[in-house]
Amino acid sequence: MKQRIISIALSALTLYSGAMAKNTIENIDRGVVALPASQGGIFLSWRLLANDTDSVRFDVLRNGEKVATDIIATNFEDKEGTGSSLYSIVTKQRGVEESSQAIKPWDDMFLSIPVNRPEPGTCPDGKTYTYSPNDCSVGDVDGDGQYEIMLKWDPSNSHDNSHDGYTGDVIIDCYKLDGKQLWRVNLGRNIRAGAHYTQFLVYDFDGDGKAEMICKTAPGSLDGTNRFVSLAATDSDILAIDNKADYRTERGRILQGEELLTVFDGLTGKALHTVWYNPNRAYGVGGKAEYAGWGDKNIMGNRGERYLACVAHLDGIDKKASAVMCRGYYTMAYLWAVDFDGRQLSTKWLHASLSDNDWKVYDGNGTVVKEAKGLKATAYGQGAHGIAVADVDGDGCDEITFGSAAINNDGSLLYSTGLGHGDAFHLADLDPDRPGLEFFMVHESHPYGADLRDARTGELLFHQAGSEDTGRGMAADIDPDHRGCEMWHICEQTVRNVKGDIIAHTKAPMNFRIYWDGDLEEELLGNLRRRPLFPPCLYKWDGQEAQPLPLGNGKQIYETGNSNTCNWTKATPNLQADIMGDWREELIFWDASDSSHLNIYTTNTPTDYRVTTLMHDHVYRMSVAWQNVSYNQPPHIGYWLKDKAVKTK
């Protein structure tokens, strides 16, 4: 019988853990990976799963023969191994032995995956464009326990709506890890290309063990079977839309036309159901676009065309997930929770913060079911260029952290700090000596600077005022001499501990944090400030500053595979996630020589610690699902690593 979930009441005397409620965990395999060891031979690593026993042990087989027996660790160096060896891992627990599929080692520190670069195109103004790989996500689309990669292709003329210009079509592919292409979706001329428009969610929404993809679509969007997505609708008005329509203005912006939401089958790319996007530009179904209410005084469709999205288990983290699609964050803020039952999409609720003082929640029939008036702050004007998800209040259900505000699992406002919009944020157990999770955020609005707050209540733990737009900031555990995470941002030449005290007068890279070298501190993913692609590199904090951290072959990432970052000045990977091997994370970058490959990097550094795969931590898995949204932020786990890691030597 299914175990009941017990709600945990939070108090000053109660210790919170995101693991108190039973997670819905993906059925993934051992994820065995092998690559050249730094000192010769072959390095292997594999997953520890959340449902493994504490007494689980492993055998390592080379060419069918045991080379290690009953080991506790989830990594191993085989000094006698070669590139032609075949490896498998035998898992032993509960009196049962289970062998993984045999694999061959990689040839190098990265796995090169061929991808099918779309052909160049020409816009109505006669200008041509080419494609490069951009944001990725992962999900198991066929239920075999291995992740597939969804890849969004970005045209070279992608734009913010703050800039004039046509853009090429947005294209999304699905690939297996051997490079086999499963499908291609073309969102068509009526979806603008840029960081703010196509927020695609890859996750198992209907609970059948296979991932789907959900994203915004429009007239002319084609699914993976080359069929218009509108034909997957059950609404007669959607079925009747004109798929030949071109709603682009002479400036290349898209300010009119029907707006849709489509769920795609993960294995085939087939559109399973299409509904009206909510809200549309006129704040409802149908009608003429009204951009002034979004703060677009010049009717450019800039602030009214800002989208976010996330996956959230709103009914309990042991229940099926919802897609939450968001529109607006500079002024009005809408969050639309949508469920998929395997056949159709349906509205769970729609949150609308229409002013600083008032918010409403609508049900699927458009009826107001909750509201509040006369507040000092709502989600209005409080959003960020991203979004985060976790059970922050310990009730077993996910909440949505929306910049300087948070939305409860029922769509109501949980709190708002009123500190306004910002570009970067980090949700994690940043202070292990406090109950619950914390949220670190930098601000583009006055009083600028950065703040650390309680993720449940919004209580400010400290706030550093600034004198200008604070565009980037990082929170990560990089220093073993200070308990908790360290924090820093672009407008201050300091690194601070979790109490706000200065521990170093320097700046560290602030793109992504990462687990890489095997100790329990986090490393940093940065870049060379070298235009136009800002090549990627790793760094290690030495107590005073960040030092370059080479790969196991002595080279940096940018020196291998022609690997480059995405999103230009943000210089982010295509994806960072724990998609194979042990608990250290993988990095995906694109090959800039001809945009024909993705390169997956993993570490070959041994570790003395055993940790459950990060993808079985709920906060981390939700982070991977929203990572591609807007200005990409790194994933975080929902617990303090040093409390959970097991020493194996």
Side-chain angles (χ1 to χ4, degrees), residues 276-537:
W276 296 111
Y277 193 90
N278 192 18
N280 70 9
R281 301 176 180 105
Y283 327 135
V285 175
K288 183 180 179 182
E290 297 289 346
Y291 281 102
W294 298 100
D296 290 321
K297 297 179 181 179
N298 56 2
I299 318 298
M300 288 171 39
N302 178 22
R303 297 187 169 194
E305 297 290 335
R306 300 282 179 140
Y307 303 94
L308 304 170
C310 61
V311 176
H313 289 255
L314 300 171
D315 295 326
I317 61 177
D318 66 330
K319 304 295 194 302
K320 289 192 292 188
S322 302
V324 182
M325 314 304 294
C326 313
R327 186 176 207 144
Y329 41 77
Y330 288 115
T331 55
M332 294 184 301
Y334 289 87
L335 292 88
W336 176 35
V338 182
D339 292 336
F340 177 60
D341 64 4
R343 297 182 303 108
Q344 294 188 349
L345 296 163
S346 61
T347 294
K348 182 184 286 294
W349 47 254
L350 173 69
H351 174 97
S353 281
L354 303 175
S355 74
D356 289 323
N357 314 114
D358 310 304
W359 59 261
K360 297 179 179 180
V361 177
Y362 302 85
D363 64 13
N365 298 316
T367 302
V368 176
V369 292
K370 297 179 183 292
E371 62 181 322
K373 300 179 180 180
L375 304 179
K376 291 183 178 179
T378 64
Y380 183 95
Q382 303 300 313
H385 291 294
I387 196 166
V389 174
D391 174 15
V392 300
D393 59 7
D395 65 354
C397 303
D398 279 334
E399 287 75 44
I400 301 159
T401 304
F402 186 79
S404 293
I407 306 299
N408 215 333
N409 64 291
D410 62 359
S412 61
L413 181 74
L414 185 63
Y415 66 81
S416 178
T417 68
L419 290 172
H421 170 71
D423 282 6
F425 55 82
H426 304 274
L427 173 65
D429 189 9
L430 303 176
D431 185 349
D433 296 327
R434 295 188 73 261
L437 307 177
E438 291 77 36
F439 193 82
F440 177 72
M441 182 177 176
V442 297
H443 294 280
E444 189 176 300
S445 308
H446 183 80
Y448 308 112
D451 63 73
L452 180 69
R453 69 179 194 253
D454 185 297
R456 177 177 70 95
T457 65
E459 174 193 358
L460 291 183
L461 304 177
F462 70 77
H463 179 258
Q464 303 166 244
S467 58
E468 58 182 330
D469 176 355
T470 309
R472 304 297 288 169
M474 178 57 64
D477 179 21
I478 59 173
D479 196 323
D481 296 331
H482 299 270
R483 184 167 166 81
C485 286
E486 287 69 49
M487 288 156 282
W488 60 101
H489 58 79
I490 198 168
C491 292
E492 189 177 71
Q493 195 78 15
T494 62
V495 174
R496 296 175 181 264
N497 64 20
V498 76
K499 305 303 181 185
D501 303 322
I502 296 173
I503 65 170
H505 290 275
T506 187
K507 280 184 183 178
M510 56 190 74
N511 288 43
F512 271 45
R513 38 69 49 214
I514 187 170
Y515 293 118
W516 188 264
D517 69 357
D519 62 21
L520 298 182
E521 279 70 54
E522 295 166 270
E523 287 67 58
L524 299 172
L525 177 63
N527 63 89
L528 301 180
R529 304 300 291 178
R530 192 169 71 203
R531 295 178 181 273
L533 300 178
F534 298 112
C537 45

Side-chain angles (χ1 to χ4, degrees), residues 21-43:
K22 177 184 174 185
N23 287 354
T24 297
I25 61 173
E26 290 174 293
N27 183 24
I28 50 179
D29 65 14
R30 285 293 156 195
V32 184
V33 64
L35 66 159
S38 58
Q39 301 300 317
I42 298 296
F43 172 83

Side-chain angles (χ1 to χ4, degrees), residues 545-563:
E545 60 183 350
Q547 300 288 351
L549 177 66
L551 301 173
N553 59 5
K555 297 181 179 180
Q556 270 287 357
I557 296 173
Y558 65 84
E559 297 176 295
T560 64
N562 297 296
S563 293

